[in-house]
Amino acid sequence: LEPNVRQTLTEEMQRQNKDSQQTINTNDSRSDTSVSSLSFNPKDATFYSGAANGSDKAWEAAATKAGIKVHNYTVKNWDTLPETWKAKLDKEYQEVLNVLHWNPYDINSYIGKLVRRDMMQADKADAIFAIGTINPRNGYIAGGTGYASTRGILRGIPVYLFDQKDSTWKEWDKATKKF
């Protein structure tokens, strides 16, 4: 990431997580050089998010400050989709569940819509940057972030993880199928 974007992200994560014991430092000397050496023109980029409190909001603030367009996908977006799109996204969601070995949420429940809208984010992305931890049971990203990031892996796009457990950036390796 460009130094100004890394710095802004770090500041926003620290501001939003000031009461948390976990802080994120993307300038950490242990950070993976594959992420720190990425370069792009912020004016040509779009940040896709779910607008959740925490990491989503921090990424959004950093992206906005860096001049990156922001597009949030929420449950309201899901509710307005044609049934054919919902069926397509539900199929993608089921594929993600098969990889993660997780149980499904009902498609009509709030959380069911929330996790399916993650497919919209991942389908638009050219790369995914996530903040979280690795699930020791399956080797993928834990929690809600795991849905969109696993969809990105299935699509074959680059997926980067800032691992909160050891404060390092990792990239999904397609050959070894590991971060």
Side-chain angles (χ1 to χ4, degrees):
L1 296 174
E2 297 293 326
N4 63 329
V5 177
R6 277 188 284 159
Q7 183 61 35
T8 301
L9 175 59
T10 299
E11 290 168 3
E12 287 299 323
M13 287 303 297
Q14 289 170 341
R15 184 182 67 74
Q16 293 217 8
N17 294 318
K18 64 185 172 192
D19 297 326
S20 172
Q21 293 186 4
Q22 291 183 324
T23 59
I24 294 176
N25 180 359
T26 58
N27 290 315
D28 190 306
S29 61
R30 297 172 293 167
S31 294
D32 182 348
T33 56
S34 66
V35 173
S36 61
S37 65
L38 289 175
S39 180
F40 63 93
N41 182 344
K43 303 290 185 218
D44 296 334
T46 301
F47 169 73
Y48 299 100
S49 174
N53 290 330
S55 297
D56 283 359
K57 290 292 186 183
W59 278 109
E60 182 178 340
T64 300
K65 192 170 183 178
I68 298 171
K69 294 179 291 292
V70 173
H71 185 90
N72 289 316
Y73 287 103
T74 65
V75 169
K76 287 181 182 179
N77 296 108
W78 171 266
D79 288 338
T80 64
L81 290 175
E83 291 303 316
T84 54
W85 285 16
K86 288 180 181 179
K88 174 191 171 294
L89 295 168
D90 186 56
K91 181 180 176 196
E92 293 172 2
Y93 169 70
Q94 298 300 328
E95 291 169 356
V96 166
L97 292 180
N98 287 338
V99 169
L100 298 175
H101 305 289
W102 290 351
N103 293 322
Y105 290 103
D106 183 273
I107 195 169
N108 296 310
S109 69
Y110 178 80
I111 195 164
K113 295 174 183 181
L114 199 64
V115 295
R116 284 168 179 84
R117 68 91 164 103
D118 289 346
M119 303 305 108
M120 291 189 282
Q121 296 170 40
D123 284 350
K124 287 286 192 175
D126 294 321
I128 293 178
F129 295 84
I131 299 170
T133 58
I134 297 172
N135 182 331
R137 291 183 180 170
N138 61 24
Y140 290 84
I141 297 175
T145 304
Y147 294 99
S149 60
T150 303
R151 177 69 187 137
I153 289 167
L154 291 173
R155 286 189 54 228
I157 63 174
V159 177
Y160 304 95
L161 167 68
F162 184 84
D163 191 340
Q164 291 177 305
K165 192 170 185 176
D166 63 9
S167 297
T168 60
W169 281 102
K170 296 174 170 62
E171 181 177 0
W172 179 260
D173 185 309
K174 294 174 188 175
T176 64
K177 298 186 177 184
K178 293 181 183 179
F179 280 98

